[in-house]
Amino acid sequence: MGTVSDFPWLTVLWVVPLVGAALALLFPAGWRTGVRGFALLVSLGTLGVGIWLATQFETGGAQYQFVENREWIPAFGAGYTLGLDGIALVLVLLTAGLVPLLLIAGWQDEREVGSGPRVAHYYVALTLVVESMVLISFTALDILLFYVFFEVMLIPMYFLIGGFGPKTGDLAARQQRSRAAVKFLLYNLFGGLIMLAAVIGLYVITARDKLGSGGGGTFDFRAVMEAANSGHLGATPAVLNALFLGFMFAFAVKAPLWPLHTWLPDAAVAATPASAVLMMAVVDKVGTFGMLRYCLLLFPSATSTYAPLISVLAVIGIIYGALLAIGQTDVMRLIAYTSISHFGFIILGIFALTTQGGTGATLYMVNHGISTAALFLIAGFLVSRRGSRLIAEFGGVQKVAPILAGTFLVSGLATLSLPGLAPFVSEFLVLIGTFTRYPVAAIFAASALVLAALYVLWMYQRMMTGPVKEGNERLYDLLPREMVVVAPLIVALLFLGAYPKPVLDRIDPAVAKTLTTIGQHDPAPAVQPDAAPTNTGGVHK
């Protein structure tokens, strides 16, 4: 597909859900079913475009394919430039694949949305807008373009968290939801402002170096990347370190990385299960994607300088998230804390600066999205039946809802990276890639495997096994609509656990190119293999 696409497929990819969101608002009031069905068709159309891109993507071709390059703000050297590499491709497919399932998951659950005749219109429109903003963020090859949509996606996500949630007359619960939404927005806006300062600083450097086509500055990611990695970016190491930290801070808030994580559990519990999955499995991936693309490729020297520190923070996040998950009494909050631990693994793999670590981190982004979606949505179905999130109020669910309990177990086992399920492959690659560079960090990170087994299996034992507790005898099993949501996620976990090659074939070249570009090579083995034995007539001495 080369460097330039004849048809603007990437524009179509993100414009379809955006236009769909606008049209959804035009549906007459009260047409809940109609507008939800329309939004589902729009999301399936977006998925179709993503699948077509995947089939046309050349694994051995140019690093960035389907490239579109048009003028946007010529005075600032900013262009409307889009392109797709293997890393972005798998995240595009994750996003486009999850959104239809999330729309189906919330189809008839009236207790999980606000009130009013047009509530469904607003809900599906905001979901499609978030999808659109995420897709253009994954495909943007202009730094300013990326920044704009990196920030804009916060607005619809804020309304999804604060405006929709469990329908209750409890004033305290509504206030808690509002606080969680504001906390989410303030944290991420502050991170974005720090990043804006870094974006401006980077532009000033490119203007001074006359990297733009007209002899001025530029926001073209590829031009800045080439200058940074060829040593032609005229800035002192101290300045480049500061710019790196500006970008990294924003991505660390979004991902999130300990200790900038505190907004995530509150937001995940306050939102509807579908919106929480959209945030944790899709939106937050923009943060880890930004680390892999922008931090590494624009600031290779600063990356090497700060990689050990970031790896330490990632390990703390891995263990911290797992320990707090063990102590939770709220099932939804427990799952939210597991995501903090998993994001620690992703960030650890990125900053191990090895091919195994980077490949594992990228695959982990995909697998975490699938496993978290499955576990959180199934828990959401169960909570909506029982009317409570407290683990202590469940018990014996497997006797009254065996399919729900079974799929919950499979999703939980995927979360603890059981061999045979998708997250195992990615977590194994991250640990192997980290061990070759930071063996102590890898050993501490591996301890989280034991902690994960503890919080998952203990949660399952308390909720699903034993006698049926009072109030649970009327719980019912997964409905056909819910099975439509859960089944593809379980199949994906099993398939990618047994055969991850189709995804790895697209990730590997992009990760290898990234590390080669920044001059990073896998560490040599500590122990060299013995020399080949000398032929001594069949006798080895």
Side-chain angles (χ1 to χ4, degrees):
M1 199 55 55
T3 57
V4 179
S5 175
D6 297 330
F7 186 81
W9 285 110
L10 297 183
T11 296
V12 172
L13 179 71
W14 73 270
V15 167
V16 166
L18 188 63
V19 172
L23 294 177
L25 296 176
L26 300 179
F27 273 64
W31 284 29
R32 285 176 177 252
T33 301
V35 75
R36 288 186 184 276
F38 172 75
L40 178 60
L41 289 176
V42 170
S43 65
L44 290 174
T46 304
L47 176 59
V49 175
I51 292 173
W52 189 91
L53 289 169
T55 61
Q56 299 301 307
F57 188 86
E58 299 176 5
T59 55
Q63 182 176 8
Y64 300 107
Q65 302 180 31
F66 308 99
V67 174
E68 302 173 30
N69 193 359
R70 298 176 180 84
E71 287 190 348
W72 179 32
I73 312 176
F76 294 155
Y80 175 78
T81 309
L82 305 179
L84 198 66
D85 67 352
I87 297 170
L89 174 64
V90 296
L91 295 176
V92 163
L93 290 175
L94 172 68
T95 302
L98 283 181
V99 170
L101 300 180
L102 298 182
L103 290 172
I104 297 172
W107 191 278
Q108 294 177 345
D109 200 346
E110 301 300 332
R111 288 172 294 180
E112 298 294 346
V113 296
S115 59
R118 301 187 65 84
V119 62
H121 302 58
Y122 300 138
Y123 187 80
V124 300
L126 289 169
T127 300
L128 291 175
V129 170
V130 171
E131 179 184 23
S132 175
M133 302 299 98
V134 170
L135 290 174
I136 193 172
S137 296
F138 286 144
T139 57
L141 290 180
D142 183 274
I143 299 169
L144 184 62
L145 184 69
F146 170 83
Y147 171 77
V148 168
F149 289 96
F150 179 84
E151 289 292 271
V152 169
M153 73 177 68
L154 300 177
I155 305 304
M157 199 69 239
Y158 164 79
F159 285 111
L160 282 173
I161 296 170
F164 304 88
K167 193 174 181 181
T168 175
D170 187 353
L171 178 61
R174 293 199 300 272
Q175 290 175 339
Q176 183 179 9
R177 186 164 67 243
S178 297
R179 286 194 297 268
V182 171
K183 188 176 182 179
F184 160 83
L185 187 63
L186 290 179
Y187 265 70
N188 284 274
L189 280 179
F190 180 68
L193 288 175
I194 299 296
M195 180 178 168
L196 177 60
V199 169
I200 294 172
L202 188 60
Y203 174 79
V204 170
I205 293 172
T206 65
R208 187 180 59 192
D209 295 343
K210 299 181 180 180
L211 296 180
S213 58
T218 183
F219 287 106
D220 188 312
F221 167 74
R222 292 171 298 175
V224 180
M225 175 186 68
E226 182 178 354
N229 289 280
S230 63
H232 295 152
L233 198 60
T236 64
V239 171
L240 293 177
N241 286 347
L243 296 179
F244 168 86
L245 292 175
F247 278 82
M248 184 63 200
F249 184 84
F251 298 145
V253 171
K254 178 95 67 179
L257 174 66
W258 183 92
L260 305 172
H261 66 281
T262 57
W263 61 267
L264 177 62
D266 293 338
V269 171
T272 68
S275 295
V277 170
L278 182 66
M279 177 185 68
M280 292 187 295
V282 176
V283 172
D284 290 353
K285 297 300 188 305
V286 179
T288 47
F289 171 78
M291 296 177 194
L292 192 54
R293 170 168 288 182
Y294 293 94
C295 288
L296 267 63
L297 287 171
L298 296 182
F299 310 103
S301 178
T303 296
S304 299
T305 299
Y306 288 102
L309 173 61
I310 296 171
S311 297
V312 170
L313 296 179
V315 171
I316 293 174
I318 290 170
I319 299 174
Y320 174 87
L323 289 174
L324 263 65
I326 293 172
Q328 296 305 307
T329 58
D330 181 324
V331 60
M332 308 304 272
R333 190 173 287 271
L334 185 155
I335 300 172
Y337 274 109
T338 68
S339 281
I340 295 172
S341 183
H342 294 150
F343 274 111
F345 273 108
I346 295 171
I347 297 169
L348 182 64
I350 292 172
F351 286 94
L353 303 180
T354 61
T355 52
Q356 298 97 331
T359 298
T362 305
L363 183 60
Y364 211 132
M365 294 185 213
V366 176
N367 292 338
H368 169 262
I370 298 170
S371 61
T372 296
L375 190 61
F376 209 90
L377 290 176
I378 295 169
F381 295 149
L382 184 58
V383 167
S384 68
R385 288 159 165 71
R386 185 67 172 83
S388 173
R389 302 195 307 260
L390 295 179
I391 295 174
E393 295 192 8
F394 293 91
V397 174
Q398 67 180 10
K399 291 184 174 64
V400 295
I403 298 177
L404 187 152
T407 54
F408 187 83
L409 177 60
V410 173
S411 304
L413 293 176
T415 299
L416 63 82
S417 299
L418 184 76
L421 297 173
F424 168 76
V425 180
S426 47
E427 194 162 297
F428 183 77
L429 285 172
V430 167
L431 290 174
I432 291 295
T434 302
F435 188 84
T436 60
R437 194 175 295 277
Y438 304 121
V440 175
I443 292 170
F444 275 101
S447 68
L449 300 177
V450 178
L451 299 176
L454 182 59
Y455 63 66
V456 168
L457 297 178
W458 192 29
M459 173 180 63
Y460 182 83
Q461 180 187 34
R462 288 180 289 170
M463 296 180 66
M464 304 296 173
T465 64
V468 180
K469 285 192 176 182
E470 183 180 357
N472 294 334
E473 61 277 356
R474 296 181 180 178
L475 298 179
Y476 49 90
D477 219 332
L478 291 178
L479 301 172
R481 172 181 61 85
E482 296 166 340
M483 284 296 298
V484 169
V485 175
V486 174
L489 297 172
I490 299 297
V491 169
L493 290 174
L494 294 171
F495 177 79
L496 292 178
Y499 190 64
K501 185 176 184 296
V503 180
L504 291 174
D505 283 347
R506 285 150 180 82
I507 294 173
D508 277 338
V511 171
K513 181 65 175 177
T514 296
L515 294 177
T516 301
T517 300
I518 65 175
Q520 291 289 339
H521 305 283
D522 292 340
V527 179
Q528 297 296 330
D530 294 336
T534 304
N535 188 345
T536 57
V539 179
H540 297 283
K541 296 182 179 180

